[in-house]
Amino acid sequence: MSVSHAQLKAFHAVAVHGSFTRAAERLYLTQPAISDQVRKLEERFGVLLFHRNKRSVRLTDLGERLLAITQRLFVVEAEAKELLQESRALQTGSLVLAVDAPVHVLPQIARFCELYPGINVKIETGNTDESLLRLFNYQADLALLGRAVDDERLLSLTLRNDPMVAFVSRHHPWAGRQSICLADLDDTPLVLREVGSVTRQTLEEEMNRAGLRIRPTIQVEGREAAREAVVVGIGVGVVSAAEFGADARVCALPIVDCQRRLTETLVCLREQSSRRIVATFLDLVRESLASPTAL
């Protein structure tokens, strides 16, 4: 009994995107057409691949196992397509990067776009956990993470290693200080990133190590929201020194006794590292690390 490629493709899209509607958008088909392909696949083999209700679509145990297979199938399919297009010198294609902080990889992306203008580059932002999940779900080709990840499935390049700094509104009582220590943050109102943020996790570990109390006054999603919360005086923020940037509304304060540093690590799945687009981008990044003035 043969398996229809179109039915597997429809199943994979729904499983990856978690929605029949979003799967239809990605495959440029109608939602009924996607539903029909998946239904036919289930009926053909007498199986159930999704638990469906009005609000969500969730994989069954069998669906999870099939997804692991279709992920490999479509990676191999993409590799075959790229192999056949090599003579076109990267004139077409796409590169998706899931990143926690775009600033760390923007120079390399700019150079890549200059060299290969036919490649459609997409940046998806999220914290480290979200970016890593996109990579493992084959929704991104590369991920930029706020911490090193020890996983044999990954090929990694460390881009940066920077200290943490606190930052406050220019109207804050600390605005005139040159630095602070961890004890200054003890029971101080803090603007914290969402759970899963490496910056938050690192700060919590440092404060716990020093026996100090964390007092979250607000939790926000993303760096920009954290900055705006600090600007209006809600509390003190913490960020990687490399991500502080130029903003006259806030003042950076080095934390003199903070031992931990924040790394930025570019990763891809080893099984995809030989794909031409991925390999070319990695080579460009290695070149920039070896000679920072190259970009």
Side-chain angles (χ1 to χ4, degrees):
M1 187 180 294
S2 61
V3 182
S4 164
H5 181 273
Q7 291 169 2
L8 286 179
K9 194 169 184 179
F11 159 79
H12 182 78
V14 175
V16 167
H17 300 294
S19 162
F20 282 87
T21 300
R22 287 194 292 271
E25 292 171 352
R26 292 300 182 98
L27 296 181
Y28 301 100
L29 296 171
T30 65
Q31 188 270 336
I34 293 292
S35 298
D36 185 58
Q37 292 283 17
V38 174
R39 178 183 57 79
K40 287 179 178 178
L41 180 62
E42 291 178 320
E43 290 179 351
R44 185 169 191 173
F45 292 92
V47 298
L48 183 66
L49 299 173
F50 295 102
H51 296 298
R52 303 164 172 86
N53 60 44
K54 292 182 179 180
R55 294 185 178 181
S56 65
V57 176
R58 182 167 54 88
L59 284 165
T60 64
D61 290 343
L62 180 62
E64 292 278 6
R65 292 163 60 190
L66 181 59
L67 175 60
I69 294 172
T70 58
Q71 284 173 333
R72 298 194 300 271
L73 170 66
F74 291 114
V75 165
V76 170
E77 184 178 279
E79 290 177 348
K81 183 177 180 180
E82 286 186 8
L83 176 65
L84 296 173
Q85 292 178 334
E86 279 188 352
S87 62
R88 302 179 69 178
L90 295 181
Q91 293 178 4
T92 62
S94 64
L95 182 70
V96 180
L97 296 98
V99 304
D100 69 327
V103 63
H104 298 301
V105 76
L106 284 178
Q108 291 88 347
I109 291 175
R111 179 60 174 160
F112 184 85
C113 291
E114 178 185 355
L115 293 173
Y116 309 104
I119 302 298
N120 178 33
V121 178
K122 181 179 180 182
I123 300 175
E124 297 180 342
T125 59
N127 63 40
T128 286
D129 289 344
E130 293 166 342
S131 296
L132 193 57
L133 182 61
R134 286 191 178 106
L135 186 72
F136 283 129
N137 283 342
Y138 296 85
Q139 294 173 312
D141 302 301
L142 296 130
L144 184 62
L145 312 177
R147 66 171 183 270
V149 177
D150 185 14
D151 191 314
E152 62 183 12
R153 295 172 294 176
L154 299 177
L155 177 69
S156 303
L157 286 175
T158 300
L159 300 188
R160 300 189 64 98
N161 188 337
D162 300 287
M164 285 197 303
V165 297
F167 64 102
V168 296
S169 163
R170 62 186 179 90
H171 303 296
H172 192 277
W174 294 357
R177 296 178 60 170
Q178 298 300 310
S179 64
I180 63 169
C181 60
L182 287 170
D184 290 316
L185 298 176
D186 184 42
D187 204 31
T188 295
L190 296 176
V191 175
L192 294 182
R193 289 280 307 280
E194 71 281 359
V195 175
S197 160
V198 172
T199 304
R200 173 175 177 163
Q201 179 184 338
T202 304
L203 176 65
E204 289 174 340
E205 291 172 355
E206 280 289 273
M207 294 289 281
N208 289 335
R209 177 188 60 79
L212 303 172
R213 296 161 295 176
I214 283 190
R215 179 182 163 194
T217 186
I218 191 173
Q219 176 178 302
V220 297
E221 296 277 342
R223 288 173 177 80
E224 292 305 315
R227 182 178 294 264
E228 295 306 315
V230 169
V231 167
V232 298
I234 293 178
V236 178
V238 177
V239 71
S240 164
E243 296 166 14
F244 178 71
D247 190 331
R249 301 175 301 166
V250 291
C251 306
L253 298 169
I255 308 172
V256 294
D257 57 344
C258 183
Q259 299 178 6
R260 295 281 301 278
R261 297 174 70 88
L262 296 173
T263 63
E264 290 293 331
T265 305
L266 185 67
V267 302
C268 72
L269 296 173
R270 286 190 181 277
E271 66 189 59
Q272 298 212 50
S273 62
S274 60
R275 288 180 53 204
R276 193 156 186 248
I277 289 178
V278 173
T280 300
F281 188 82
L282 289 174
D283 286 343
L284 188 150
V285 172
R286 291 189 184 99
E287 177 185 346
S288 72
L289 293 175
S291 176
T293 58
L295 298 181

